[in-house]
Amino acid sequence: MTNHTTADTKTEIRPFRIEIPQADLDDLNERLARVRFPDELPGAGWDLGVPTGYLAELVDCWRTGYDWREHEAALNEIPQFVTEVDGTQVHFLHVRSPEPDAVPLILTHGWPGSIVEFLGVIGPLSDPRAYGGDAADAFHLVIPSVPGFGFSGPTREAGWSPNRVARAWVELMHRLGYERFAAQGGDMGALITPEIGRIAPESVIGIHVNAANVGFQPMGPAPEDVVAKLTDQERQRLAALGMFAAVGSGYMAIQLTRPQTLAYGLTDSPVGQLAWIIEKFKEWSNPSAELPEDAVDRDTLLTNVMLYWLTATAGSSARMYYEGGKHAQAGWFPLTRSKVPTAVANFAGDTAIRHWAEEANNVVRWSEFDHGGHFAALEAPDLLTRDVREFFRDLR
């Protein structure tokens, strides 16, 4: 059973509704109306970043064709709560399954994502019977905004590393009355989620990750003797990692080292915030998608951006990289091996490599999909749902 009231006001769990003041929306509209676009070189396409023509069209859609109130109302149909954990406010969705024997499952987003990533999997995971599935696969869902992101932000003190978030998640689940639970995450969520198993292995029945980075792929030059043993597909992924390091990691370098300087531009300019995020949806979505909206519909993309803009959390979300970077001396690799059963799902474009994944994780399931992409819950919710159900079926 869950308990949403406690005697201690600091640990009290309070209902939450999103209610953005109209003045904030009017301010956004005014800023979008007077945007100043930069020049660009002819024929550059996406090589130098987001093309001006594409972004201008998207900005116009945001200003004249997107209705925040519609999406705010849809979000508010999902039970939401806030509570204080380790000195910071944590916002989370909490959807109880109608199936009494459902397994608690915490879902963790990454950057530049948000709770919006999981909206399409809430129904199938919490109420499989209503979606043609087996009631025995049901989950009680806890979907928090990572501290520093959205309504869990901005954070007010240093130290919010992925490890600290994982500790907060253990506290949150126990506070909700879930002593044993499952965990899933992608991108930064695939860094936070395995840490939960290292911190509280007695509480976690299993870990499922997608868009897996730290601890699931090499973070630097790979030894030649190891490369010789890799499959052709794994070598392609290794090459993709090298290309990412060479031309795709500029955002990471800035967020790792100077998140505060970056925050001024993104917090003052909604178009800057939009461009910073939309480039990653273009780069990381299914490689077959020519434009971000070919993988994720525009309204969903804009709602995700709105959670950053309306909460002014560009800086505090970027600080997660800065805090995590303090562990870079360890090569960004976990210092201890997890003993918790772990599943890795590689969707189109993902680069996890089993050799390295098994060094730090107890990998018992490895799935490969040629659909979806980095944002699997948005791009291929049916495939992700199926893989999560199948993995945890034997661990319940």
Side-chain angles (χ1 to χ4, degrees):
M1 291 294 292
T2 58
N3 178 11
H4 280 169
T5 59
T6 67
D8 187 342
T9 56
K10 282 192 174 183
T11 60
E12 180 185 6
I13 297 174
R14 306 180 302 279
F16 180 85
R17 281 182 61 82
I18 305 171
E19 296 176 331
I20 300 301
Q22 185 59 41
D24 289 0
L25 302 181
D26 293 342
D27 173 72
L28 170 61
N29 188 68
E30 291 170 5
R31 291 171 185 261
L32 293 176
R34 54 184 172 84
V35 58
R36 184 175 70 162
F37 287 107
D39 74 302
E40 65 177 348
L41 295 176
W46 287 81
D47 289 348
L48 301 182
V50 185
T52 301
Y54 172 79
L55 196 66
E57 180 187 352
L58 191 55
V59 168
D60 183 65
C61 174
W62 194 3
R63 189 172 70 86
T64 64
Y66 173 82
D67 183 358
W68 163 255
R69 292 302 185 198
E70 173 189 339
H71 297 281
E72 180 184 67
L75 285 167
N76 281 331
E77 291 179 1
I78 306 168
Q80 300 174 64
F81 303 88
V82 292
T83 190
E84 183 179 317
V85 182
D86 194 11
T88 198
Q89 173 173 287
V90 172
H91 162 262
F92 61 99
L93 311 180
H94 187 197
V95 181
R96 292 277 297 177
S97 172
E99 308 297 340
D101 295 329
V103 167
L105 171 65
I106 185 167
L107 299 169
T108 305
H109 66 82
W111 182 93
S114 68
I115 57 169
V116 171
E117 289 186 54
F118 297 112
L119 297 183
V121 300
I122 289 176
L125 287 176
S126 66
D127 191 7
R129 195 198 308 254
Y131 291 81
D134 188 337
D137 289 327
F139 296 94
H140 300 306
L141 300 178
V142 178
I143 309 174
S145 299
V146 173
F149 291 69
F151 298 105
S152 288
T155 44
R156 305 295 183 186
E157 62 179 2
W160 276 102
S161 65
N163 179 272
R164 185 173 176 182
V165 175
R167 293 181 183 278
W169 281 187
V170 174
E171 167 61 25
L172 175 63
M173 294 300 278
H174 289 174
R175 191 176 299 179
L176 289 169
Y178 299 137
E179 295 302 319
R180 291 268 294 164
F181 57 90
Q184 198 284 330
D187 185 80
M188 190 175 289
L191 171 57
I192 294 168
T193 302
E195 286 297 293
I196 301 174
R198 294 184 177 94
I199 291 164
E202 72 287 348
S203 295
V204 184
I205 67 170
I207 289 164
H208 184 286
V209 296
N210 67 284
N213 298 314
V214 178
F216 297 90
Q217 61 187 28
M219 288 295 175
E224 291 185 7
D225 60 326
V226 175
V227 175
K229 299 176 183 178
L230 300 180
T231 66
D232 289 344
Q233 182 187 57
E234 290 172 333
R235 290 177 189 173
Q236 290 173 2
R237 288 179 178 164
L238 197 60
L241 287 168
M243 182 63 68
F244 169 79
V247 302
S249 60
Y251 80 98
M252 183 185 298
I254 295 174
Q255 296 193 157
L256 272 167
T257 59
R258 295 295 184 269
Q260 187 65 28
T261 303
L262 173 68
Y264 295 110
L266 303 190
T267 305
D268 190 57
S269 168
V271 176
Q273 177 70 91
L274 174 65
W276 192 248
I277 288 177
I278 208 69
E279 180 197 287
K280 296 312 164 198
F281 275 86
K282 166 63 169 68
E283 293 289 320
W284 298 346
S285 296
N286 190 319
S288 67
E290 293 187 10
L291 295 172
E293 59 265 33
D294 294 335
V296 181
D297 71 86
R298 278 192 170 183
D299 267 22
T300 302
L301 291 169
L302 291 171
T303 300
N304 180 65
V305 172
M306 286 289 275
L307 291 190
Y308 285 82
W309 174 257
L310 294 172
T311 58
T313 51
S316 57
S317 61
R319 286 198 295 268
M320 183 69 70
Y321 282 78
Y322 178 84
E323 297 292 348
K326 293 178 181 178
H327 301 287
Q329 291 180 344
W332 284 86
F333 214 73
L335 298 178
T336 59
R337 188 176 188 276
S338 172
K339 297 180 181 179
V340 176
T342 299
V344 179
N346 268 319
F347 291 82
D350 285 343
T351 54
I353 296 174
R354 189 158 190 164
H355 170 81
W356 284 279
E358 291 181 336
E359 286 188 3
N361 305 277
N362 178 23
V363 178
V364 299
R365 179 183 175 92
W366 191 273
S367 304
E368 298 282 351
F369 301 98
D370 58 7
H371 295 74
H374 188 86
F375 305 96
L378 287 173
E379 300 180 67
D382 53 340
L383 295 180
L384 181 65
T385 295
R386 186 184 72 196
D387 205 61
V388 169
R389 286 175 178 171
E390 290 178 356
F391 172 60
F392 287 110
R393 192 171 290 158
D394 295 332
L395 299 175
R396 291 171 175 262

